[in-house]
Amino acid sequence: DGGITQSPKYLFRKEGQNVTLSCEQNLNHDAMYWYRQDPGQGLRLIYYSQIVNDFQKGDIAEGYSVSREKKESFPLTVTSAQKNPTAFYLCASSSKRDTQYFGPGTRLTVL
Amino acid sequence: AQSVTQPDIHITVSEGASLELRCNYSYGATPYLFWYVQSPGQGLQLLLKYFSGDTLVQGIKGFEAEFKRSQSSFNLRKPSVHWSDAAEYFCAVGAGGTYKYIFGTGTRLKVLA
């Protein structure tokens, strides 16, 4: 089945730790995205990538980093510089001028 | 600047009643418009989309939406709501020619038995 997978579903981070969220797609989409979701704030774009080895900052990139070494994969690292990382993180992918499809999400909690 | 407004944060309807969720957008050209639904702790599922052509579009789960250019609106409707429709609904606009999408802040639907 084609789709987007995210792992893990739940993730816990201690203060000062970096953590990496995985996102994989087998839809052959060029573009991939990371969003952060907080209650009452909708979806906020963290980073997006239109092509392998290239990515752009979204609206709230501070404290996050990404890589795009393969078309299928777009991992997100939440660094210790992100002071309030507890949130629900959604990965998505799309072709240009077409529908964006979402993964099931990862809930990150800071202990 | 491009933007999407969903003016209703919460809506409560009785099961079997009709539903309309509002969405207004600001965009210079003809936008690509989407409605998504999200159950708690889940990802977003596409309900329907408008790219061009017929301004009344049909989606999954009995939903439809109408694109009204003069009002910059793309309201979502369902004639008879089921208890399983309780969820959060997001309207989104795709900036044609780019890969970026703008989302509204969502409308949370509660369905009374």
Side-chain angles (χ1 to χ4, degrees):
Chain A
D1 287 339
I4 303 173
T5 57
Q6 291 185 243
S7 62
K9 187 171 178 63
Y10 300 96
L11 187 57
F12 299 91
R13 192 192 93 167
K14 295 181 181 178
E15 294 286 345
Q17 251 184 354
N18 292 352
V19 292
T20 297
L21 285 60
S22 170
C23 178
E24 304 276 335
Q25 57 101 357
N26 62 5
L27 300 169
N28 199 33
H29 286 163
D30 292 321
M32 297 187 74
Y33 311 76
W34 276 105
Y35 292 93
R36 172 178 171 144
Q37 190 176 26
D38 297 281
Q41 296 195 43
L43 277 69
R44 293 185 291 169
L45 182 64
I46 304 172
Y47 269 98
Y48 68 104
S49 168
Q50 300 180 26
I51 196 169
V52 174
N53 292 323
D54 187 43
F55 47 83
Q56 287 78 40
K57 293 182 179 180
D59 302 316
I60 56 164
E62 184 175 352
Y64 300 97
S65 66
V66 294
S67 63
R68 186 88 186 275
E69 297 177 0
K70 297 187 301 181
K71 187 175 186 178
E72 303 80 21
S73 178
F74 192 41
L76 173 74
T77 297
V78 184
T79 74
S80 57
Q82 172 50 240
K83 297 307 179 187
N84 184 24
T86 294
F88 191 55
Y89 291 87
L90 287 163
C91 179
S93 71
S94 76
S95 295
K96 191 174 183 179
R97 304 172 73 93
D98 206 336
T99 305
Q100 197 173 52
Y101 293 93
F102 285 82
T106 292
R107 183 165 299 281
L108 173 62
T109 303
V110 174
L111 302 176
Chain B
Q2 300 147 10
S3 65
V4 176
T5 301
Q6 294 181 248
D8 303 305
I9 298 175
H10 297 279
I11 283 185
T12 300
V13 299
S14 298
E15 191 170 20
S18 64
L19 173 70
E20 183 170 30
L21 302 182
R22 295 182 291 165
C23 173
N24 293 95
Y25 67 89
S26 172
Y27 184 67
T30 300
Y32 296 167
L33 295 161
F34 308 86
W35 274 100
Y36 290 88
V37 61
Q38 184 183 34
S39 297
Q42 304 295 317
L44 276 67
Q45 180 185 19
L46 179 72
L47 285 175
L48 49 79
K49 61 186 179 183
Y50 172 79
F51 285 2
S52 65
D54 192 346
T55 56
L56 184 64
V57 294
Q58 302 296 321
I60 62 171
K61 305 185 180 187
F63 285 93
E64 66 177 27
E66 186 171 12
F67 171 58
K68 292 185 176 180
R69 185 189 303 275
S70 61
Q71 300 177 19
S72 297
S73 69
F74 189 56
N75 294 349
L76 182 71
R77 300 193 295 248
K78 187 169 185 178
S80 178
V81 170
H82 187 262
W83 63 266
S84 61
D85 293 324
E88 190 154 23
Y89 292 79
F90 291 93
C91 181
V93 58
T98 77
Y99 285 91
K100 290 193 72 174
Y101 300 77
I102 310 298
F103 285 80
T105 52
T107 297
R108 184 168 298 277
L109 174 66
K110 182 177 179 179
V111 180
L112 301 176

